[in-house]
Short mmCIF file of all heavy atoms in Angstrom, two decimals:
data_model
loop_
_atom_site.label_atom_id
_atom_site.label_comp_id
_atom_site.label_asym_id
_atom_site.label_seq_id
_atom_site.Cartn_x
_atom_site.Cartn_y
_atom_site.Cartn_z
N ARG A 1 -5.56 5.24 0.36
CA ARG A 1 -6.35 5.08 -0.84
C ARG A 1 -6.14 6.17 -1.84
O ARG A 1 -6.19 5.96 -3.01
CB ARG A 1 -7.86 4.99 -0.43
CG ARG A 1 -8.54 3.83 -0.94
CD ARG A 1 -9.97 3.60 -0.47
NE ARG A 1 -10.71 4.61 0.09
CZ ARG A 1 -11.28 4.48 1.34
NH1 ARG A 1 -11.14 3.40 2.01
NH2 ARG A 1 -12.04 5.42 1.77
N ARG A 2 -5.92 7.38 -1.31
CA ARG A 2 -5.82 8.58 -2.18
C ARG A 2 -4.41 8.81 -2.74
O ARG A 2 -4.25 9.39 -3.81
CB ARG A 2 -6.29 9.82 -1.45
CG ARG A 2 -7.77 9.78 -1.24
CD ARG A 2 -8.31 11.01 -0.54
NE ARG A 2 -9.72 10.88 -0.34
CZ ARG A 2 -10.47 11.70 0.40
NH1 ARG A 2 -9.88 12.70 1.09
NH2 ARG A 2 -11.79 11.56 0.52
N HIS A 3 -3.40 8.39 -1.96
CA HIS A 3 -2.03 8.76 -2.31
C HIS A 3 -1.11 7.57 -2.64
O HIS A 3 0.00 7.76 -3.12
CB HIS A 3 -1.38 9.57 -1.21
CG HIS A 3 -2.14 10.85 -0.92
ND1 HIS A 3 -2.18 11.89 -1.83
CD2 HIS A 3 -2.93 11.18 0.12
CE1 HIS A 3 -2.96 12.90 -1.31
NE2 HIS A 3 -3.38 12.50 -0.13
N MET A 4 -1.57 6.34 -2.30
CA MET A 4 -0.71 5.20 -2.50
C MET A 4 -1.41 4.08 -3.27
O MET A 4 -2.62 3.89 -3.13
CB MET A 4 -0.31 4.58 -1.11
CG MET A 4 0.45 5.63 -0.21
SD MET A 4 0.66 4.89 1.44
CE MET A 4 1.47 6.25 2.29
N GLY A 5 -0.67 3.39 -4.12
CA GLY A 5 -1.18 2.19 -4.80
C GLY A 5 -0.36 0.99 -4.27
O GLY A 5 0.80 1.07 -3.89
N PHE A 6 -1.05 -0.21 -4.28
CA PHE A 6 -0.37 -1.40 -3.79
C PHE A 6 -0.56 -2.54 -4.75
O PHE A 6 -1.60 -2.74 -5.33
CB PHE A 6 -1.04 -1.81 -2.43
CG PHE A 6 -0.82 -0.87 -1.34
CD1 PHE A 6 -1.68 0.22 -1.13
CD2 PHE A 6 0.30 -0.99 -0.55
CE1 PHE A 6 -1.44 1.12 -0.12
CE2 PHE A 6 0.56 -0.05 0.53
CZ PHE A 6 -0.32 0.98 0.71
N VAL A 7 0.55 -3.26 -4.96
CA VAL A 7 0.52 -4.45 -5.80
C VAL A 7 1.27 -5.57 -4.99
O VAL A 7 2.40 -5.39 -4.63
CB VAL A 7 1.30 -4.27 -7.12
CG1 VAL A 7 1.12 -5.50 -7.98
CG2 VAL A 7 0.78 -3.05 -7.85
N PHE A 8 0.56 -6.65 -4.75
CA PHE A 8 1.17 -7.71 -3.90
C PHE A 8 1.40 -9.00 -4.75
O PHE A 8 0.92 -9.14 -5.85
CB PHE A 8 0.25 -8.05 -2.72
CG PHE A 8 0.06 -6.90 -1.70
CD1 PHE A 8 -1.11 -6.13 -1.75
CD2 PHE A 8 1.05 -6.63 -0.83
CE1 PHE A 8 -1.27 -5.09 -0.89
CE2 PHE A 8 0.88 -5.56 0.09
CZ PHE A 8 -0.25 -4.79 0.08
N GLN A 9 2.11 -9.96 -4.10
CA GLN A 9 2.37 -11.18 -4.79
C GLN A 9 1.04 -11.95 -5.03
O GLN A 9 0.74 -12.49 -6.15
CB GLN A 9 3.31 -12.08 -3.96
CG GLN A 9 3.69 -13.37 -4.61
CD GLN A 9 4.77 -14.14 -3.83
OE1 GLN A 9 5.43 -13.59 -2.90
NE2 GLN A 9 5.00 -15.35 -4.16
N GLN A 10 0.14 -11.96 -4.00
CA GLN A 10 -1.16 -12.45 -4.21
C GLN A 10 -2.01 -11.31 -4.84
O GLN A 10 -1.89 -10.19 -4.41
CB GLN A 10 -1.84 -12.83 -2.82
CG GLN A 10 -1.03 -13.71 -1.95
CD GLN A 10 -0.58 -15.02 -2.66
OE1 GLN A 10 -1.27 -15.53 -3.51
NE2 GLN A 10 0.62 -15.56 -2.30
N TYR A 11 -2.74 -11.61 -5.86
CA TYR A 11 -3.33 -10.53 -6.68
C TYR A 11 -4.44 -9.81 -5.91
O TYR A 11 -4.76 -8.68 -6.24
CB TYR A 11 -3.88 -11.09 -8.01
CG TYR A 11 -2.93 -12.09 -8.65
CD1 TYR A 11 -3.29 -13.44 -8.93
CD2 TYR A 11 -1.62 -11.69 -8.96
CE1 TYR A 11 -2.38 -14.28 -9.52
CE2 TYR A 11 -0.71 -12.60 -9.50
CZ TYR A 11 -1.15 -13.87 -9.83
OH TYR A 11 -0.30 -14.81 -10.31
N ASN A 12 -5.01 -10.53 -4.89
CA ASN A 12 -6.06 -9.90 -4.07
C ASN A 12 -7.24 -9.31 -4.84
O ASN A 12 -7.78 -8.23 -4.53
CB ASN A 12 -5.48 -8.77 -3.18
CG ASN A 12 -4.48 -9.30 -2.14
OD1 ASN A 12 -4.42 -10.47 -1.90
ND2 ASN A 12 -3.67 -8.41 -1.59
N LEU A 13 -7.59 -10.07 -5.91
CA LEU A 13 -8.79 -9.70 -6.71
C LEU A 13 -10.06 -10.27 -6.01
O LEU A 13 -9.98 -11.31 -5.47
CB LEU A 13 -8.68 -10.15 -8.14
CG LEU A 13 -7.44 -9.62 -8.92
CD1 LEU A 13 -7.49 -10.12 -10.38
CD2 LEU A 13 -7.30 -8.13 -8.94
N MET A 14 -11.15 -9.56 -6.16
CA MET A 14 -12.38 -10.10 -5.63
C MET A 14 -13.08 -10.93 -6.67
O MET A 14 -13.47 -10.44 -7.76
CB MET A 14 -13.34 -8.95 -5.17
CG MET A 14 -12.66 -8.14 -4.08
SD MET A 14 -13.58 -6.79 -3.48
CE MET A 14 -14.01 -7.32 -1.82
N GLU A 15 -13.20 -12.25 -6.39
CA GLU A 15 -13.70 -13.22 -7.37
C GLU A 15 -15.06 -12.95 -7.90
O GLU A 15 -15.45 -13.27 -9.07
CB GLU A 15 -13.67 -14.66 -6.74
CG GLU A 15 -12.32 -15.11 -6.22
CD GLU A 15 -11.40 -15.59 -7.30
OE1 GLU A 15 -11.88 -15.96 -8.40
OE2 GLU A 15 -10.19 -15.66 -7.09
N GLU A 16 -15.89 -12.31 -7.05
CA GLU A 16 -17.31 -12.09 -7.44
C GLU A 16 -17.52 -10.86 -8.31
O GLU A 16 -18.61 -10.61 -8.83
CB GLU A 16 -18.22 -12.00 -6.23
CG GLU A 16 -18.00 -10.81 -5.29
CD GLU A 16 -16.93 -11.09 -4.21
OE1 GLU A 16 -16.02 -11.87 -4.45
OE2 GLU A 16 -17.03 -10.43 -3.18
N TYR A 17 -16.41 -10.08 -8.53
CA TYR A 17 -16.53 -8.89 -9.36
C TYR A 17 -15.69 -9.12 -10.63
O TYR A 17 -14.70 -9.81 -10.66
CB TYR A 17 -15.95 -7.68 -8.63
CG TYR A 17 -16.79 -7.22 -7.48
CD1 TYR A 17 -16.35 -7.51 -6.16
CD2 TYR A 17 -18.01 -6.62 -7.65
CE1 TYR A 17 -17.11 -7.06 -5.05
CE2 TYR A 17 -18.77 -6.24 -6.53
CZ TYR A 17 -18.32 -6.45 -5.26
OH TYR A 17 -19.08 -6.05 -4.22
N ASN A 18 -16.18 -8.42 -11.70
CA ASN A 18 -15.40 -8.57 -12.97
C ASN A 18 -14.20 -7.63 -12.90
O ASN A 18 -13.96 -6.90 -11.95
CB ASN A 18 -16.30 -8.27 -14.16
CG ASN A 18 -16.87 -6.86 -14.25
OD1 ASN A 18 -16.26 -5.91 -13.71
ND2 ASN A 18 -17.95 -6.67 -14.93
N VAL A 19 -13.42 -7.69 -13.99
CA VAL A 19 -12.12 -6.97 -14.08
C VAL A 19 -12.36 -5.45 -13.83
O VAL A 19 -11.67 -4.83 -13.04
CB VAL A 19 -11.45 -7.21 -15.44
CG1 VAL A 19 -10.39 -6.15 -15.73
CG2 VAL A 19 -10.88 -8.59 -15.48
N LEU A 20 -13.34 -4.91 -14.57
CA LEU A 20 -13.56 -3.44 -14.44
C LEU A 20 -13.94 -3.08 -13.02
O LEU A 20 -13.42 -2.07 -12.47
CB LEU A 20 -14.67 -3.02 -15.46
CG LEU A 20 -15.00 -1.54 -15.50
CD1 LEU A 20 -13.76 -0.79 -16.01
CD2 LEU A 20 -16.20 -1.24 -16.36
N ASP A 21 -14.80 -3.85 -12.35
CA ASP A 21 -15.18 -3.51 -10.95
C ASP A 21 -14.02 -3.63 -10.01
O ASP A 21 -13.88 -2.84 -9.04
CB ASP A 21 -16.37 -4.38 -10.49
CG ASP A 21 -17.67 -4.03 -11.22
OD1 ASP A 21 -17.75 -2.86 -11.67
OD2 ASP A 21 -18.52 -4.86 -11.41
N ASN A 22 -13.16 -4.67 -10.22
CA ASN A 22 -12.04 -4.81 -9.35
C ASN A 22 -11.05 -3.59 -9.55
O ASN A 22 -10.51 -3.10 -8.53
CB ASN A 22 -11.25 -6.09 -9.79
CG ASN A 22 -11.60 -7.26 -8.91
OD1 ASN A 22 -11.28 -7.36 -7.75
ND2 ASN A 22 -12.33 -8.22 -9.47
N ILE A 23 -10.86 -3.16 -10.76
CA ILE A 23 -9.96 -2.03 -11.01
C ILE A 23 -10.52 -0.74 -10.33
O ILE A 23 -9.74 0.09 -9.84
CB ILE A 23 -9.77 -1.81 -12.51
CG1 ILE A 23 -8.91 -2.96 -13.11
CG2 ILE A 23 -9.05 -0.49 -12.81
CD1 ILE A 23 -8.86 -3.09 -14.59
N CYS A 24 -11.80 -0.55 -10.44
CA CYS A 24 -12.44 0.69 -9.98
C CYS A 24 -12.70 0.71 -8.46
O CYS A 24 -13.08 1.74 -7.88
CB CYS A 24 -13.76 0.98 -10.71
SG CYS A 24 -13.48 1.29 -12.48
N MET A 25 -12.48 -0.47 -7.76
CA MET A 25 -12.87 -0.62 -6.37
C MET A 25 -12.34 0.51 -5.42
O MET A 25 -13.06 1.15 -4.72
CB MET A 25 -12.46 -1.95 -5.91
CG MET A 25 -12.98 -2.36 -4.48
SD MET A 25 -14.70 -2.59 -4.46
CE MET A 25 -14.88 -4.01 -5.53
N PRO A 26 -10.97 0.84 -5.48
CA PRO A 26 -10.49 1.82 -4.53
C PRO A 26 -11.11 3.23 -4.76
O PRO A 26 -11.35 3.95 -3.78
CB PRO A 26 -8.97 1.82 -4.78
CG PRO A 26 -8.70 0.55 -5.40
CD PRO A 26 -9.93 0.20 -6.24
N VAL A 27 -11.31 3.53 -6.04
CA VAL A 27 -11.91 4.85 -6.32
C VAL A 27 -13.33 4.92 -5.82
O VAL A 27 -13.77 5.93 -5.20
CB VAL A 27 -11.84 5.12 -7.86
CG1 VAL A 27 -12.52 6.43 -8.19
CG2 VAL A 27 -10.37 5.14 -8.32
N LYS A 28 -14.10 3.83 -6.00
CA LYS A 28 -15.49 3.79 -5.58
C LYS A 28 -15.60 3.81 -4.06
O LYS A 28 -16.51 4.35 -3.47
CB LYS A 28 -16.21 2.57 -6.15
CG LYS A 28 -16.44 2.72 -7.67
CD LYS A 28 -17.21 1.55 -8.25
CE LYS A 28 -17.52 1.84 -9.72
NZ LYS A 28 -18.00 0.66 -10.43
N LEU A 29 -14.61 3.09 -3.40
CA LEU A 29 -14.60 3.09 -1.94
C LEU A 29 -14.39 4.51 -1.39
O LEU A 29 -14.89 4.85 -0.32
CB LEU A 29 -13.48 2.22 -1.38
CG LEU A 29 -13.73 0.71 -1.40
CD1 LEU A 29 -12.44 0.00 -1.03
CD2 LEU A 29 -14.84 0.32 -0.41
N ASP A 30 -13.77 5.34 -2.21
CA ASP A 30 -13.56 6.75 -1.82
C ASP A 30 -14.72 7.66 -2.27
O ASP A 30 -14.62 8.83 -2.18
CB ASP A 30 -12.23 7.23 -2.55
CG ASP A 30 -11.46 8.23 -1.68
OD1 ASP A 30 -11.72 8.25 -0.40
OD2 ASP A 30 -10.69 9.00 -2.25
N GLN A 31 -15.76 6.98 -2.71
CA GLN A 31 -16.99 7.64 -3.13
C GLN A 31 -16.71 8.66 -4.22
O GLN A 31 -17.25 9.78 -4.27
CB GLN A 31 -17.73 8.30 -1.97
CG GLN A 31 -18.17 7.21 -0.98
CD GLN A 31 -18.82 7.73 0.30
OE1 GLN A 31 -18.46 8.82 0.76
NE2 GLN A 31 -19.74 7.04 0.84
N ARG A 32 -15.85 8.24 -5.15
CA ARG A 32 -15.52 9.10 -6.34
C ARG A 32 -15.82 8.21 -7.55
O ARG A 32 -15.93 7.02 -7.53
CB ARG A 32 -14.03 9.48 -6.39
CG ARG A 32 -13.70 10.44 -5.26
CD ARG A 32 -12.23 10.85 -5.32
NE ARG A 32 -11.31 9.78 -5.06
CZ ARG A 32 -10.14 9.57 -5.69
NH1 ARG A 32 -9.73 10.40 -6.71
NH2 ARG A 32 -9.36 8.57 -5.36
N LYS A 33 -15.98 8.95 -8.66
CA LYS A 33 -16.15 8.23 -9.96
C LYS A 33 -14.83 8.20 -10.68
O LYS A 33 -14.07 9.15 -10.70
CB LYS A 33 -17.20 8.96 -10.80
CG LYS A 33 -18.58 8.78 -10.33
CD LYS A 33 -19.58 9.36 -11.31
CE LYS A 33 -21.03 9.02 -10.83
NZ LYS A 33 -22.03 9.91 -11.50
N PRO A 34 -14.53 7.03 -11.32
CA PRO A 34 -13.25 7.02 -12.05
C PRO A 34 -13.27 8.00 -13.21
O PRO A 34 -14.35 8.29 -13.77
CB PRO A 34 -13.24 5.58 -12.66
CG PRO A 34 -14.25 4.85 -11.88
CD PRO A 34 -15.27 5.82 -11.39
N ASP A 35 -12.12 8.58 -13.46
CA ASP A 35 -11.95 9.52 -14.66
C ASP A 35 -11.99 8.62 -15.90
O ASP A 35 -11.10 7.85 -16.11
CB ASP A 35 -10.61 10.21 -14.49
CG ASP A 35 -10.20 11.08 -15.69
OD1 ASP A 35 -10.82 10.81 -16.77
OD2 ASP A 35 -9.31 11.85 -15.58
N PRO A 36 -13.06 8.73 -16.72
CA PRO A 36 -13.23 7.76 -17.82
C PRO A 36 -12.06 7.82 -18.82
O PRO A 36 -11.65 6.76 -19.33
CB PRO A 36 -14.52 8.26 -18.51
CG PRO A 36 -14.93 9.53 -17.91
CD PRO A 36 -14.14 9.69 -16.63
N GLU A 37 -11.55 9.01 -19.09
CA GLU A 37 -10.40 9.10 -20.03
C GLU A 37 -9.16 8.40 -19.45
O GLU A 37 -8.47 7.64 -20.19
CB GLU A 37 -10.07 10.57 -20.26
CG GLU A 37 -9.36 10.82 -21.53
CD GLU A 37 -9.22 12.30 -21.83
OE1 GLU A 37 -10.21 13.07 -21.76
OE2 GLU A 37 -8.09 12.76 -22.02
N PHE A 38 -8.97 8.61 -18.18
CA PHE A 38 -7.74 8.02 -17.56
C PHE A 38 -7.93 6.52 -17.39
O PHE A 38 -6.96 5.72 -17.61
CB PHE A 38 -7.56 8.63 -16.16
CG PHE A 38 -6.22 8.19 -15.50
CD1 PHE A 38 -4.99 8.48 -16.05
CD2 PHE A 38 -6.25 7.50 -14.32
CE1 PHE A 38 -3.80 8.10 -15.47
CE2 PHE A 38 -5.06 7.02 -13.73
CZ PHE A 38 -3.83 7.37 -14.28
N LEU A 39 -9.17 6.07 -17.11
CA LEU A 39 -9.43 4.64 -17.01
C LEU A 39 -9.14 3.97 -18.37
O LEU A 39 -8.51 2.89 -18.43
CB LEU A 39 -10.93 4.41 -16.63
CG LEU A 39 -11.48 2.99 -16.68
CD1 LEU A 39 -10.70 2.09 -15.70
CD2 LEU A 39 -12.95 2.97 -16.39
N HIS A 40 -9.57 4.61 -19.45
CA HIS A 40 -9.31 4.10 -20.83
C HIS A 40 -7.77 4.00 -21.08
O HIS A 40 -7.30 2.99 -21.55
CB HIS A 40 -10.01 4.96 -21.84
CG HIS A 40 -9.94 4.37 -23.21
ND1 HIS A 40 -8.90 4.64 -24.09
CD2 HIS A 40 -10.81 3.49 -23.87
CE1 HIS A 40 -9.10 3.96 -25.25
NE2 HIS A 40 -10.24 3.28 -25.13
N THR A 41 -7.05 5.02 -20.69
CA THR A 41 -5.61 5.08 -20.80
C THR A 41 -4.95 3.90 -20.09
O THR A 41 -4.09 3.21 -20.62
CB THR A 41 -5.03 6.45 -20.31
OG1 THR A 41 -5.65 7.46 -20.97
CG2 THR A 41 -3.52 6.48 -20.50
N VAL A 42 -5.40 3.68 -18.82
CA VAL A 42 -4.76 2.60 -17.98
C VAL A 42 -5.13 1.23 -18.57
O VAL A 42 -4.23 0.37 -18.67
CB VAL A 42 -5.29 2.73 -16.52
CG1 VAL A 42 -4.90 1.50 -15.77
CG2 VAL A 42 -4.75 3.96 -15.90
N LEU A 43 -6.41 1.03 -18.98
CA LEU A 43 -6.83 -0.23 -19.56
C LEU A 43 -6.02 -0.51 -20.84
O LEU A 43 -5.61 -1.64 -21.04
CB LEU A 43 -8.32 -0.26 -19.85
CG LEU A 43 -9.21 -0.26 -18.63
CD1 LEU A 43 -10.70 0.02 -19.07
CD2 LEU A 43 -9.16 -1.67 -17.97
N THR A 44 -5.84 0.51 -21.65
CA THR A 44 -5.09 0.35 -22.91
C THR A 44 -3.60 0.03 -22.63
O THR A 44 -3.05 -0.91 -23.21
CB THR A 44 -5.13 1.64 -23.73
OG1 THR A 44 -6.53 1.98 -23.94
CG2 THR A 44 -4.47 1.46 -25.08
N ALA A 45 -2.99 0.77 -21.70
CA ALA A 45 -1.57 0.58 -21.36
C ALA A 45 -1.29 -0.84 -20.88
O ALA A 45 -0.24 -1.39 -21.13
CB ALA A 45 -1.15 1.61 -20.31
N LEU A 46 -2.26 -1.43 -20.16
CA LEU A 46 -2.07 -2.75 -19.58
C LEU A 46 -2.70 -3.84 -20.38
O LEU A 46 -2.77 -4.99 -19.92
CB LEU A 46 -2.58 -2.72 -18.10
CG LEU A 46 -1.67 -1.99 -17.14
CD1 LEU A 46 -2.42 -1.55 -15.93
CD2 LEU A 46 -0.43 -2.68 -16.83
#
């Protein structure tokens, strides 16, 4: 969770959560808060 990212053919998104919650899920599972500036950068880039 801390050192690796995963992207699969199946998107593996959680249907009951919105886009923002899906994106932040691994960070929240690690009991951390997303870096707001970095989150904005990633959302903008994509």
Side-chain angles (χ1 to χ4, degrees):
R1 233 176 13 239
R2 291 182 180 169
H3 301 291
M4 301 174 181
F6 294 88
V7 186
F8 296 103
Q9 184 171 349
Q10 309 303 333
Y11 317 122
N12 295 345
L13 302 183
M14 297 181 114
E15 301 282 339
E16 66 272 28
Y17 292 107
N18 65 24
V19 163
L20 185 62
D21 288 336
N22 264 289
I23 290 170
C24 294
M25 188 70 63
V27 177
K28 288 182 175 171
L29 281 172
D30 214 22
Q31 297 176 328
R32 292 182 292 145
K33 286 187 175 165
D35 171 344
E37 202 174 308
F38 187 62
L39 174 61
H40 187 272
T41 301
V42 169
L43 289 168
T44 305
L46 288 160

